[in-house]
Amino acid sequence: MNLGNKTVVLTGASGGLGQAIAKQLAANGARLILIGRNESALDHLLDGLASDARHHCKLKIDLGSEAGINELTSFCNDLPEGIDVLVNNAGISEFALLEDSSSQSINKIFFVNLIAPVILTSNLLPLLRQKPETLIVNTGSVLGAIGNPGFTTYCASKSGLARFSEALRRELADSTVNVIHLNPRATATNMNSDTVNELNRSLGNNTDLPDQVAQVLVNKINKDDFGESSVGWPEKFFVKINALMPRLVDSAFVKNLPLIKQSAKSVKETSETATEGPV
């Protein structure tokens, strides 16, 4: 797809990866509708794109509620030029053992990471069908293909998003709407806490810069490289091994489980201290 003068709706634009994707899309000629919760970050991003003559706009919308989804749907339906690309990039995570996760945090992770993209895509599909060439991009995670201790809810939500992308791609195979599902590995953004970053270093997990992931995504769009793919080596290889021989991957995680649990315990203790300490 040639992104020149294409109207792109980008959710999660105020996050580290979202900002990097926005810059890459703008550099390729796209008109951007930037969606995020952090208005100051959106303003800063928009200021950085101001030298570009193409139209950009921002909306402070929380996609953690149906009201936010409906607000964005109405805005897009009122656009005279319609939309060409929907990038479902908004997402949240929590590093915690399942027994230490609250029902509120579990519900929120599933809503933002899975339910919101599904509903928003469903709402905007009639609009996307009006154009001769359109695209839906879902930002997943390698953890949606490889279940990781300490990220059970996040893994489940991203795995669900991957199967949604797969089913949707097949459902739309006879239409002009294409689907890309990208699974980044660990990325250097604020989504990862210091504890998670330290854990990744201790386990030898590779971490990409947001710009690197954004470049991979835009390259796939430019090359019409649709479908599901993962970012980085050896993560791509591990995804295949996990699908073919999950017991082998189980044994690797058992070896690392004490360190993972110790890190998760330290997060819980820090959270409890902050909650119970003096106001």
Side-chain angles (χ1 to χ4, degrees):
M1 171 184 278
N2 182 349
L3 284 163
N5 294 317
K6 294 293 194 299
T7 299
V8 181
V9 177
L10 171 63
T11 71
S14 57
L17 181 55
Q19 293 187 46
I21 292 173
K23 293 172 185 177
Q24 293 281 355
L25 292 171
N28 280 263
R31 293 189 300 262
L32 302 178
I33 299 170
L34 306 171
I35 313 300
R37 293 179 298 166
N38 187 328
E39 189 166 15
S40 62
L42 289 176
D43 285 336
H44 181 73
L45 175 59
L46 202 56
D47 288 342
L49 301 173
S51 59
D52 196 314
R54 284 174 296 276
H55 173 69
H56 302 91
C57 70
K58 68 175 178 67
L59 293 173
K60 181 185 176 183
I61 293 178
D62 183 2
L63 295 178
S65 68
E66 287 200 45
I69 296 171
N70 292 336
E71 181 181 352
L72 179 53
T73 299
S74 297
F75 177 86
C76 292
N77 284 329
D78 289 340
L79 290 172
E81 73 275 13
I83 64 172
D84 301 281
V85 181
L86 168 63
V87 182
N88 288 309
N89 175 67
I92 57 174
S93 181
E94 178 187 47
F95 175 52
L97 301 180
L98 182 61
E99 63 199 85
D100 296 327
S101 299
S102 68
S103 60
Q104 290 85 355
S105 68
I106 292 171
N107 280 323
K108 187 172 184 179
I109 288 171
F110 272 107
F111 195 95
V112 173
N113 293 358
L114 180 57
I115 296 174
V118 172
I119 296 175
L120 184 61
T121 301
S122 175
N123 289 353
L124 296 182
L125 259 178
L127 199 58
L128 289 165
R129 287 183 181 274
Q130 295 176 17
K131 297 289 188 76
E133 180 188 32
T134 55
L135 177 65
I136 296 164
V137 177
N138 292 324
T139 302
S141 169
V142 164
L143 298 191
I146 304 174
N148 243 53
F151 294 94
T152 48
T153 305
Y154 180 76
C155 290
S157 67
K158 289 298 186 179
S159 178
L161 186 66
R163 299 290 68 80
F164 165 67
S165 298
E166 182 179 70
L168 184 65
R169 184 179 75 249
R170 293 167 179 171
E171 187 173 301
L172 298 174
D174 60 350
S175 76
T176 60
V177 186
N178 294 295
V179 179
I180 289 177
H181 184 95
L182 186 68
N183 290 321
R185 59 186 178 183
T187 308
T189 70
N190 290 334
M191 180 179 286
N192 294 326
S193 65
D194 291 342
T195 301
V196 171
N197 289 331
E198 179 58 36
L199 179 61
N200 281 329
R201 285 191 288 269
S202 299
L203 295 177
N205 295 335
N206 296 302
T207 300
D208 291 321
L209 296 174
D211 288 343
Q212 293 173 300
V213 179
Q215 186 62 66
V216 170
L217 174 58
V218 171
N219 286 344
K220 287 184 175 296
I221 295 174
N222 287 334
K223 295 177 181 177
D224 291 342
D225 185 5
F226 308 127
E228 180 178 357
S229 59
S230 300
V231 177
W233 187 266
E235 285 75 10
K236 288 182 179 180
F237 176 69
F238 290 155
V239 167
K240 295 184 182 297
I241 292 297
N242 188 65
L244 294 172
M245 294 180 286
R247 292 295 181 90
L248 183 63
V249 181
D250 286 352
S251 62
F253 276 119
V254 167
K255 180 181 67 174
N256 294 327
L257 195 55
L259 179 58
I260 295 171
K261 287 191 171 183
Q262 179 184 2
S263 297
K265 181 181 178 182
S266 70
V267 170
K268 180 186 178 185
E269 290 174 348
T270 301
S271 174
E272 288 177 345
T273 299
T275 301
E276 296 171 2
V279 177

